[in-house]
Amino acid sequence: MASLQVRALSVGYGPVRALRDVSLDVPEGAVVVVLGGNGAGKTTLLRAVSRTLAFHRGAATGGSVTFDGRALDGISPARAVAAGVVQVPEGRQVFARMTVADNLRAGALGSRAGSRADTARSLARVHELFPVLAGRSRQRAGLLSGGEQQMLALGRALMARPRLLLLDEPSLGLAPKMAATIAETITEINASGTSVLLVEQNAALALRLASHAYVLEVGEVTLSGPAAELAASDEVRRRYLGITDEAAPPPAATRPLARWSA
Ligand code: ATP
């Protein structure tokens, strides 16, 4: 059974239609990526799953979201977290004035983490994945580097013991080496049993991580399939990986430019 099913989902912010008839699956234990440019609706999709649209004056106008056979429509964001659906928002939103340790503790509040022993186990796991956070636990989060703040944002989400992790552009603004480190960690988190729905503009990185991929354009799914197939498709190579097929003649209008870039 698919762990997350989105069916014919439409979302609006007042008069703005952000998603139209979007359907998507995250099978149990999978990493699924949603690619798309600015304003395509990627963040909106994650908000719809984490039940946080109302915080942004948005609302679903049609369709459904089901997690492990249970409809998420109508439940509160806190109940979604308690069910194991946890979002890491875009932009590394850590509590800058709180210590690293307190940020992590905050992640366990209201989550599936039942007992103290569970919380201690989650913390040990976070420190194992991100040793730098253990070393900095008494420091204010605002003093961490961008990459370390991304680790903390991920670590805080892990404290809630997610079954489905929703990641909003985790590589945004990071140097390639740090982005690669975060990608490796996502693979490790997934290997220990957490499904992942990832939205990314960094298609090269995301397609290596994911088993399935969707392309969202202006609120609609225009392409979907196994990540390897999408990575090989001309459209994705051209639009999201910046690769032009030298064997194919370029369209007439771009011929002079193509010659310059050769
Ligand atoms: P980006 O990569 O730039 O974050 P995105 O693919 O995540 O883009 P969304 O942020 O989901 O796209 O935005 C989809 C559409 O909804 C855009 O047209 C955007 O302007 C609009 N939108 C997003 N949030 C709001 C909001 N709170 N109020 C009104 N319109 C919004």
Side-chain angles (χ1 to χ4, degrees), residues 58-193:
T61 54
S64 64
V65 180
T66 309
F67 180 61
D68 266 357
R70 276 176 55 196
L72 289 184
D73 317 82
I75 75 164
S76 69
R79 294 260 320 270
V81 170
V85 177
V86 181
Q87 183 172 358
V88 180
E90 186 180 332
R92 310 188 271 283
Q93 294 175 21
V94 298
F95 300 115
R97 296 164 72 92
M98 281 167 47
T99 64
V100 168
D102 284 343
N103 266 273
L104 291 175
R105 255 179 234 126
L109 297 175
S111 69
R112 299 197 303 134
S115 64
R116 277 186 177 199
D118 282 342
T119 306
R121 261 195 299 276
S122 302
L123 186 61
R125 175 76 177 133
V126 169
H127 285 166
E128 188 189 328
L129 287 167
F130 303 113
V132 67
L133 297 183
R136 306 257 176 131
S137 67
R138 297 166 75 117
Q139 237 180 45
R140 281 191 188 190
L143 298 176
L144 300 178
S145 73
E148 288 161 354
Q149 288 188 13
Q150 183 60 270
M151 291 176 184
L152 181 55
L154 252 174
R156 194 177 57 196
L158 293 178
M159 291 299 292
R161 304 176 71 218
R163 297 170 59 217
L164 173 66
L165 194 56
L166 308 172
L167 299 177
D168 198 342
E169 303 216 27
S171 79
L172 190 72
L174 299 183
K177 200 166 162 219
M178 181 56 81
T181 304
I182 296 287
E184 273 166 33
T185 313
I186 294 169
T187 303
E188 237 179 294
I189 292 167
N190 173 248
S192 46

Side-chain angles (χ1 to χ4, degrees), residues 13 16-18 36-45 47 56-58 90 168-169 199 201 216:
Y13 298 96
V16 179
R17 295 198 68 185
N38 288 117
K42 304 181 299 298
T43 297
T44 300
L45 175 65
R47 288 175 181 159
H56 306 273
R57 296 168 189 255
E90 186 180 332
D168 198 342
E169 303 216 27
V199 310
Q201 289 206 34
L216 204 54

Side-chain angles (χ1 to χ4, degrees), residues 210-221:
S211 56
H212 280 75
Y214 292 78
V215 172
L216 204 54
E217 285 179 55
V218 208
E220 290 183 68
V221 173

